[in-house]
Structure formats: C-alpha cells, structure tokens
Amino acid sequence: KAGVTQTPRYLIKTRGQQVTLSCSPISGHRSVSWYQQTPGQGLQFLFEYFSETQRNKGNFPGRFSGRQFSNSRSEMNVSTLELGDSALYLCASRTTSSYEQYFGPGTRLTVT
Amino acid sequence: GENVEQHPSTLSVQEGDSAVIKCTYSDSASNYFPWYKQELGKRPQLIIDIRSNVGEKKDQRIAVTLNKTAKHFSLHITETQPEDSAVYFCAAPLRRTGNQFYFGTGTSLTVIP
C-alpha cells in the first residue's frame, strides 16, 4: 500500500497570509490526525477527522481549521499566519479499529 | 495536567551498549503506548507499541515495558548501532478526549561508533 502523502512539502509564506495543506491517508484509513512539530514544543495535536467529522481538537486558536472529504483526504488551513506558525505540519492516518498511526512526510511551513 | 513526560531529552551511548528511555503518563485509562523513531528530516515511524494488558513486548533488539501501577513505560534498545541514532518519541492517548494522543518531548539518541 502507498503510504501517507502530504502536499506541498515546503511552503514559504508571509505574515497575514493564509495557507492550505493537504494530506492523503493510506487507502482504507478513515481517520486523519494533524500535528504541529516544533523544536521547542515537540508534537502538538491539532485535530482529528473521521468520516468528514472533526472528532477531537487540540488547544490551538481558531485560525487553525481543517476538513475531511468523502475519500478521507484531509486539508488543514491556517489563516492570518504568524511567525510562530513556522513548523513542520504532520498528518497521520489510521483505521478506526486500531490505534496505530502512520505519519506522512510533513509540510515544512516557514512564515516570514 | 494531561501530558506525557519523557526522559532523558538527550542520550549518548557507545555502540553495542544498551539505551533506555522512560515515559510517564497521567491518564490511568490510557491503554495503548507507541514509540516512534524520527530520523533527521524524516517522518516519525512506529517502531513498537504495547497495550495495557501486557507488561512487556520485544521485537529483535527493541523492547517496551509497561508499569500500569506507576503509569510509566520504557523503551529498551540493546546492542545499539549507529543507525539507531535518531529522536525517539513516546505517546499515550487521553481516553476522555476520545483518544487524542499526547506525545513526549522526544529523546535525541546518539550512538557513538
């Protein structure tokens, strides 16, 4: 099976702009979670989607949002970008009957 | 609060020695404990996991032990090799949030040849 894929792999944006990141899960995986990874904070949970519904949301401001499509692909959006949003954004997918998460390669976002 | 604490943050060992990384968790209802390895510039990869109904699990040179009473679990790597050098993360689900995963802050392991 193909692994989790994310696009784009790298992004450079300026403060105030918005950005959309995409994640395609492993075939058959209906749960997609998003994480922010920074050197200081480690892996922080953003949200989880299952069957196009947000199941959980981490402690991030409303500027961070997401959605999931009927084919389980997911997108996350960050509006009004801040310098502190610079990070590696990882998504992970799993089946609904297992806890095992498989990560994508991440999108490296740099906000200048 | 709800979190996972991981120690040490950095670890250097000689090739062939053992390495141990420990995590503690707060939610006594947590029932699944994975360990991820992340090499520089790569994605985190699941290397081993354990469920709360067992105390130990081994896979070749790596093992994980779980102490539910003390709410901690550990990763053991024996006969370390240079390719084991990476950052290792533990994680645990917070059951009352619908199994939102909390991750430890990571351990940077360096195996010195």
Side-chain angles (χ1 to χ4, degrees):
Chain A
K1 279 185 182 178
V4 180
T5 58
Q6 291 185 245
T7 57
R9 295 292 311 279
Y10 302 93
L11 264 179
I12 300 176
K13 292 285 189 179
T14 55
R15 277 181 302 174
Q17 288 186 312
Q18 73 164 24
V19 67
T20 299
L21 313 181
S22 180
C23 172
S24 292
I26 292 172
S27 178
H29 287 195
R30 295 168 63 191
S31 168
V32 174
S33 295
W34 287 89
Y35 295 88
Q36 182 193 65
Q37 186 175 30
T38 57
Q41 298 295 318
L43 276 153
Q44 302 281 308
F45 173 80
L46 281 155
F47 24 67
E48 180 186 16
Y49 285 87
F50 168 66
S51 291
E52 303 176 64
T53 301
Q54 187 180 89
R55 286 218 294 202
N56 280 306
K57 190 176 193 306
N59 190 26
F60 278 83
R63 300 184 296 108
F64 292 81
S65 63
R67 60 178 175 167
Q68 187 179 35
F69 301 94
S70 58
N71 62 357
S72 295
R73 188 177 71 86
S74 178
E75 289 181 346
M76 68 164 280
N77 184 276
V78 188
S79 62
T80 319
L81 283 165
E82 301 177 358
L83 295 178
D85 297 333
S86 295
L88 180 67
Y89 290 88
L90 293 159
C91 74
S93 75
R94 64 183 178 95
T95 68
T96 51
S97 58
S98 170
Y99 284 122
E100 296 177 15
Q101 293 188 94
Y102 296 89
F103 282 87
T107 294
R108 173 75 62 186
L109 172 64
T110 302
V111 182
T112 62
Chain B
E2 295 93 40
N3 58 17
V4 175
E5 294 187 3
Q6 182 173 346
H7 298 281
S9 57
T10 60
L11 180 60
S12 291
V13 298
Q14 291 288 335
E15 182 177 357
D17 286 351
S18 295
V20 181
I21 303 169
K22 180 182 282 189
C23 286
T24 59
Y25 59 97
S26 58
D27 182 6
S28 57
S30 292
N31 59 355
Y32 172 75
F33 307 93
W35 284 93
Y36 290 87
K37 174 183 180 182
Q38 187 175 28
E39 296 175 82
L40 192 63
K42 302 275 185 72
R43 71 188 77 190
Q45 292 207 306
L46 179 67
I47 57 171
I48 195 167
D49 55 19
I50 192 168
R51 297 180 191 273
S52 58
N53 58 347
V54 296
E56 183 176 6
K57 182 178 178 181
K58 285 184 180 179
D59 183 3
Q60 299 183 332
R61 296 187 297 107
I62 60 173
V64 54
T65 58
L66 172 64
N67 183 326
K68 286 178 61 179
T69 303
K71 291 192 284 187
H72 66 70
F73 57 109
S74 299
L75 177 70
H76 304 254
I77 306 174
T78 58
E79 300 172 24
T80 53
Q81 300 168 3
E83 52 264 39
D84 295 329
S85 296
V87 178
Y88 292 82
F89 294 94
C90 62
L94 186 62
R95 296 303 301 276
R96 68 172 181 79
T97 66
N99 297 319
Q100 170 182 326
F101 274 89
Y102 282 84
F103 280 77
T105 49
T107 297
S108 178
L109 173 65
T110 302
V111 180
I112 304 165

